[in-house]
Amino acid sequence: MSQFGAPSESHTMELADGSTIPLLGFGVWQIPNGPECVQAVQAALDVGYRHIDTAQAYGNEESVGEALRRSGVPREEVFITTKFLPSQEDAAREAAHSLGRLGLDYVDLYLVHWPQGGATRAWPGMEEAHRLGYARSIGVSNFDVTELETLMGVAALRPSVDQVQLSPFHYRRTLVNAAREQDLVVEAYSPLGTGRHLSDETVRRIASQIGRTPAQVLLRWCIQHGFVVLPKSTHQDRIQENARIFDFNLSPADMSELDALDQTGGTHRAQERKWW
Ligand code: NDP
């Protein structure tokens, strides 16, 4: 039994393709491949995370696979996401390479990491990765409203997920609403602002009023908005802390106050400054 209970109905969500995704995922961006990553992912699995978010670009798929094997948690109990590095040519071929590095015969979710070369460029390879059984579900990341619409216009197999930067400070309401109209599950990446939002005064005040930590407040805000949330940490105590987000509620007043921290004007964009 985990610190926050075994995965239950309320800790998961259904994707449009019928798969089930745990609401809490462990992010591994910027954790170097090797012992640090293996230990972090093992710590997450030990306290009950059942969803790991990696990417070809992170260079640490080997460690994710190694941690999963060492943990003893059965493969089918863990939801593994990786992402296609879109500077590469062929998403299906790269998925096969990811599986080799992970030591797995499928991933649960395979995302186009960002829409390099246009919204539809990588999609035929993504559909092929699904057809070949490399990925149970496929989706996108960093796609804005227009890019989602463009992709939906041509996709034979529709994406199930858009993973975007979301937090009270980046509350991209127009994008979230558009994604939901297309039956996409929205995943929140950098929910702590890569650490930056933890020192915000409003977040700290709400946390202290309800006897929780700033990280838990930021993560709970995502859960109450219905986002899958993907915190990262390399510290065991924080990994545990970040998982304790299913045993309290933020009040409507707290939610409104956090919503008002948005600096994007409720944008339709996925990124203010694109890196591709
Ligand atoms: P987060 O927003 O999760 O913040 C992580 C930072 O906060 C680290 O510096 C961590 O430090 C610190 N931290 C974590 N928990 C606590 C805590 N309880 N108390 C104090 N400090 C804490 O970071 P990321 O930007 O990495 O986003 C999370 C995940 O989202 C990524 O790992 C990745 O999986 C995904 N992502 C996807 C992107 C995409 O393009 N699709 C882009 C960016 C992220 P420490 O590790 O030292 O504990």
Side-chain angles (χ1 to χ4, degrees), residues 25-31 36 52-55 58 83 111-114 140-142 163-166 187-198 213-216 219 229-239 241-242 271 275-276:
F26 184 68
V28 298
W29 178 43
Q30 293 185 305
I31 311 183
E36 198 182 357
I52 312 294
D53 184 84
T54 184
Y58 302 168
K83 311 185 194 82
L111 304 177
V112 180
H113 206 150
W114 57 84
V140 296
S141 178
N142 296 300
Q163 181 183 121
V164 291
Q165 181 200 39
L166 278 171
E187 296 188 343
Y189 79 62
S190 300
L192 312 176
T194 319
R196 291 185 307 277
H197 304 331
L198 293 164
T213 68
Q216 289 169 332
L219 300 175
V229 67
L230 306 167
K232 168 263 178 188
S233 176
T234 50
H235 293 87
Q236 197 172 358
D237 52 343
R238 294 174 175 177
I239 291 170
E241 172 188 328
N242 295 348
Q271 270 296 326
W275 63 81
W276 58 93

Side-chain angles (χ1 to χ4, degrees), residues 1 9 19 26 50 55 69 72 74 105 129 148 162 174 176 179 182 185 230 246 249 255 264 268 272 274:
M1 181 66 75
E9 199 66 26
S19 299
F26 184 68
R50 289 294 177 268
R69 282 185 294 282
D105 53 15
L148 287 180
D162 194 7
T174 309
V176 167
Q182 306 273 10
V185 162
L230 306 167
F246 295 104
N249 276 303
M255 287 296 286
T264 73
H268 63 282
E272 282 59 53
K274 295 186 177 180

Side-chain angles (χ1 to χ4, degrees), residues 25-275:
F26 184 68
V28 298
W29 178 43
Q30 293 185 305
I31 311 183
N33 200 37
E36 198 182 357
C37 186
V38 175
Q39 276 162 29
V41 174
Q42 257 195 289
L45 292 168
D46 281 352
V47 300
Y49 291 71
R50 289 294 177 268
H51 173 177
I52 312 294
D53 184 84
T54 184
Q56 291 160 359
Y58 302 168
N60 54 19
E61 291 170 309
E62 285 99 343
S63 296
V64 170
E66 178 66 23
L68 178 58
R69 282 185 294 282
R70 285 199 202 175
S71 74
V73 179
R75 163 69 186 99
E76 63 277 11
E77 287 182 16
V78 185
F79 190 99
I80 305 277
T81 298
T82 196
K83 311 185 194 82
F84 171 54
L85 178 61
S87 55
Q88 297 297 309
E89 197 59 36
D90 180 350
R93 188 176 57 216
E94 298 307 323
H97 292 157
S98 280
L99 295 179
R101 289 186 290 268
L102 286 158
L104 300 177
D105 53 15
Y106 69 92
V107 290
D108 296 275
L109 179 61
Y110 189 39
L111 304 177
V112 180
H113 206 150
W114 57 84
Q116 185 167 328
T120 60
R121 207 275 300 169
W123 203 248
M126 299 296 288
E127 290 177 338
E128 180 69 358
H130 176 267
R131 196 187 65 75
L132 292 167
Y134 298 162
R136 298 236 163 128
S137 299
I138 55 176
V140 296
S141 178
N142 296 300
F143 275 45
D144 66 20
V145 171
T146 309
E147 287 153 348
L148 287 180
E149 281 167 3
T150 304
L151 178 55
M152 290 299 183
V154 303
L157 181 62
R158 293 157 65 89
S160 296
V161 164
D162 194 7
Q163 181 183 121
V164 291
Q165 181 200 39
L166 278 171
S167 74
F169 304 84
H170 297 97
Y171 182 20
R172 306 172 186 280
R173 261 178 259 223
T174 309
L175 175 53
V176 167
N177 291 339
R180 288 187 170 150
E181 274 164 29
Q182 306 273 10
D183 267 347
L184 294 167
V185 162
V186 177
E187 296 188 343
Y189 79 62
S190 300
L192 312 176
T194 319
R196 291 185 307 277
H197 304 331
L198 293 164
S199 54
D200 177 81
E201 265 180 39
T202 303
V203 174
R204 291 173 65 90
R205 177 172 41 75
I206 292 173
S208 104
Q209 280 163 358
I210 62 173
R212 292 286 172 160
T213 68
Q216 289 169 332
V217 166
L218 290 166
L219 300 175
R220 183 70 205 174
W221 178 88
C222 290
I223 295 294
Q224 285 184 216
H225 274 302
F227 308 141
V228 168
V229 67
L230 306 167
K232 168 263 178 188
S233 176
T234 50
H235 293 87
Q236 197 172 358
D237 52 343
R238 294 174 175 177
I239 291 170
Q240 207 157 17
E241 172 188 328
N242 295 348
R244 291 205 199 98
I245 54 172
F246 295 104
D247 59 348
F248 72 104
N249 276 303
L250 295 168
S251 70
D254 290 341
M255 287 296 286
S256 300
E257 205 178 344
L258 291 165
D259 290 353
L261 296 173
D262 175 45
Q263 297 165 352
T264 73
T267 188
H268 63 282
R269 287 195 298 260
Q271 270 296 326
E272 282 59 53
R273 262 176 260 117
K274 295 186 177 180
W275 63 81

